[in-house]
Amino acid sequence: MPIRTDAAYAAELDARDPLAHFRERFVFADDDLIYLDGNSLGRLPKASAKRAEQLVREEWGNRLIRGWNEGWFDAPERIGAKIAQLIGAQPDEVIVADSTSVNLFKLVVAALRHQHGRPRILTDNLNFPSDIYIIQGAIDLLDDRRDASAKRLYLDIIPSPDDIHGPVDAIMRALDEQTSLLTLSHTVFKSGYVYDMAAMNDAAHAAGALTLWDLSHSAGSVPVDVHGSGADLAIGCTYKYLNGGPGAPAFLYVRRDLQEQLLNPITGWMGQKDLFKFGMNYQPAAGLRRFITGTPAVLSLALVEPGVDLLLEAGLQHLRAKSVAQTEYLIGLWETLLQPLGFTLNSPRDAEWRGSHVSLGHAEALGIDLAMIRDMNVLPDFRAPDNIRLGIAPIYTTFTEIHTAVMRMQQIVEQRLYDQYADDAPTVT
């Protein structure tokens, strides 16, 4: 049955939305802006602005160094335990520290050292390029320190059959006794494809490999069960669906029984056992604290917490249900209004395998994207070669916003407004 494409229907859907009241908990500086980029940078929670004021004026301003004993020192574990509830981990299996890339490097090196003698690392060509760069750097570092007779580490990148869906069967066939680590993005950054985490973990473990997941596009939008599915390791950012702010510190997960077996390759004071004894030899702290390296960035770390609290209050199952409804609605509008104008669906059609963003392709995608931003007051993002990525953050995105964005995309193409931006590529897309 064709979807209704009138604005009144979108308004009806918003009126029935049980999560609609959460929108009031976020800052909207421009009421006319349609923001569909929460999968890159989440909106500012009002509670975060209030928390920043309290942190700077009261805690830093008045309490000074006493703040370390009044909540700053244990913030990585406290906030990590809250994020754990969103990804199906135990409270002591998640900690907030450093950036996503640094955490990935720490866990890749720790895993490869633990799996000594297995030279092969597996990933796919849908993985975020930065993850690939980190793995390549880790290989270079470790090979420089291996003896000449040892097998050289190498990265095997398995291609997707269609650049949308993960190459599940090919990965499973490739797993063997030489594989040390399988590392994938749980929700793929371009297409939004979501892997079956449990199935991939089982296949990797059957071959004796460890698994390491990037949850950056899953945490806070897609149900994840890292502990129940048997995932070994994971990392993720906090500035997308967790609404932690630009450059907010990331999190890492290490399955409890592996924590004492793995060592942080970037050893530092905050990961030291009995750090205030100031010993000259490094001894790793017990548990996950060993994966902290330097002093936590308290100002940005503290601002992660309000966004996580909002998601926990809303409930991830409710957020996922709304996300599915909104992405289905968006795809229905694409099918009726945009497909005839040359737009392709570059995301999985089946909601079971789709995260909370939808990628639409077009031969003039970059120009359309820029026209949306500069002429239509709609903020999506662009991912080469032809993806206009429309992010749905169900805690604040409305059906009316989705409808309006699609209508404006239709107008851009019908009036060829993209022509003026054909050769105008900004630094950040």
Side-chain angles (χ1 to χ4, degrees):
M1 180 178 178
I3 192 170
R4 281 179 56 184
T5 61
D6 55 295
Y9 180 59
E12 289 176 21
L13 294 174
D14 285 329
R16 298 200 299 263
D17 175 16
L19 299 179
H21 62 285
F22 280 97
R23 184 175 169 89
E24 301 172 358
R25 311 272 286 274
F26 291 84
V27 172
F28 288 83
D30 180 356
D31 290 335
D32 295 325
L33 174 68
I34 296 175
Y35 190 64
L36 296 178
D37 210 1
N39 55 313
S40 282
L41 176 65
R43 281 190 176 273
L44 169 65
K46 291 178 179 178
S48 296
K50 183 177 180 180
R51 178 73 181 102
E53 178 77 8
Q54 176 193 31
L55 186 69
V56 171
R57 292 190 178 275
E58 296 180 22
E59 296 180 23
W60 180 14
N62 295 332
R63 299 307 295 162
L64 294 168
I65 202 168
R66 290 170 290 189
W68 285 109
N69 287 321
E70 297 169 358
W72 295 355
F73 186 80
D74 63 1
E77 291 103 329
R78 184 184 71 250
I79 300 171
K82 291 184 176 183
I83 293 173
Q85 297 178 59
L86 297 173
I87 64 170
Q90 299 299 311
D92 61 350
E93 292 180 322
V94 179
I95 200 162
V96 182
D98 301 306
S99 68
T100 313
S101 294
V102 171
N103 285 339
L104 179 63
F105 177 83
K106 290 188 289 191
L107 294 187
V108 166
V109 173
L112 294 179
R113 285 175 171 168
H114 181 71
Q115 295 279 83
H116 185 72
R118 288 172 167 253
R120 188 187 200 195
I121 303 102
L122 278 182
T123 191
D124 66 10
N125 68 334
L126 303 180
N127 206 348
F128 193 60
S130 181
D131 290 21
I132 305 295
Y133 309 154
I134 293 295
I135 297 166
Q136 291 168 341
I139 289 172
D140 290 343
L141 176 73
L142 293 177
D143 271 337
D144 285 345
R145 286 155 175 76
R146 293 162 65 90
D147 64 65
S149 63
K151 297 178 181 178
R152 291 189 63 82
L153 295 167
Y154 66 99
L155 176 62
D156 197 348
I157 302 176
I158 309 297
S160 163
D162 58 5
D163 289 328
I164 295 176
H165 298 82
V168 174
D169 292 340
I171 290 173
M172 289 187 172
R173 288 193 301 268
L175 287 162
D176 60 16
E177 68 281 356
Q178 297 297 307
T179 308
S180 59
L181 182 67
L182 171 64
T183 179
L184 300 165
S185 288
H186 180 241
T187 298
V188 171
F189 84 103
K190 279 189 182 180
S191 71
Y193 171 78
V194 178
Y195 272 100
D196 182 336
M197 181 177 285
M200 302 310 293
N201 288 334
D202 288 346
H205 293 160
L210 295 177
T211 56
L212 197 169
W213 294 92
D214 187 334
L215 304 179
S216 293
H217 284 88
S218 293
S221 67
V222 175
V224 181
D225 187 5
V226 288
H227 191 86
S229 70
D232 301 305
L233 309 164
I235 48 94
C237 71
T238 63
Y239 46 76
K240 301 183 190 298
Y241 296 105
L242 301 189
N243 306 299
F251 65 88
L252 61 84
Y253 156 85
V254 179
R255 204 180 68 227
R256 184 182 291 160
D257 61 293
L258 282 174
Q259 291 177 13
E260 299 299 321
Q261 301 179 47
L262 303 182
L263 295 175
N264 181 359
I266 313 177
T267 52
W269 182 49
M270 280 285 167
Q272 163 79 335
K273 179 182 179 182
D274 298 326
L275 67 164
F276 281 98
K277 288 186 177 179
F278 300 105
M280 291 294 103
N281 294 313
Y282 179 79
Q283 292 181 292
L288 209 50
R289 187 99 195 171
R290 66 179 56 196
F291 280 96
I292 297 182
T293 299
T295 303
V298 172
L299 297 182
S300 55
L301 171 62
L303 299 188
V304 173
E305 196 163 16
V308 174
D309 286 340
L310 280 171
L311 297 176
L312 292 173
E313 182 182 343
L316 190 56
Q317 295 302 321
H318 300 300
L319 291 165
R320 175 58 177 169
K322 181 179 174 183
S323 169
V324 169
Q326 290 191 312
T327 55
E328 285 289 293
Y329 175 65
L330 172 55
I331 291 173
L333 292 176
W334 158 77
E335 201 163 30
T336 304
L337 301 175
L338 298 182
Q339 189 176 25
L341 298 176
F343 285 90
T344 59
L345 179 63
N346 291 356
S347 292
R349 186 62 185 85
D350 189 337
E352 181 180 1
W353 307 113
R354 186 178 65 242
S356 203
H357 66 267
V358 173
S359 287
L360 299 180
H362 196 279
E364 303 292 343
L366 179 57
I368 295 168
D369 180 82
L370 294 175
M372 292 171 72
I373 296 169
R374 298 176 185 178
D375 300 329
M376 295 294 179
N377 210 23
V378 179
L379 277 182
D381 63 21
F382 171 80
R383 292 293 177 263
D386 66 345
N387 292 282
I388 300 171
R389 206 170 58 159
L390 305 172
I392 305 298
I395 199 164
Y396 54 72
T397 301
T398 66
F399 288 89
T400 297
E401 287 179 311
I402 295 169
H403 178 268
T404 304
V406 169
M407 298 304 291
R408 292 179 184 177
M409 293 173 75
Q410 182 183 37
Q411 180 183 348
I412 288 168
V413 174
E414 289 178 342
Q415 298 180 8
R416 297 184 65 91
L417 300 180
Y418 54 79
D419 279 342
Q420 60 187 311
Y421 303 116
D423 300 314
D424 186 9
T427 301
V428 178
T429 61

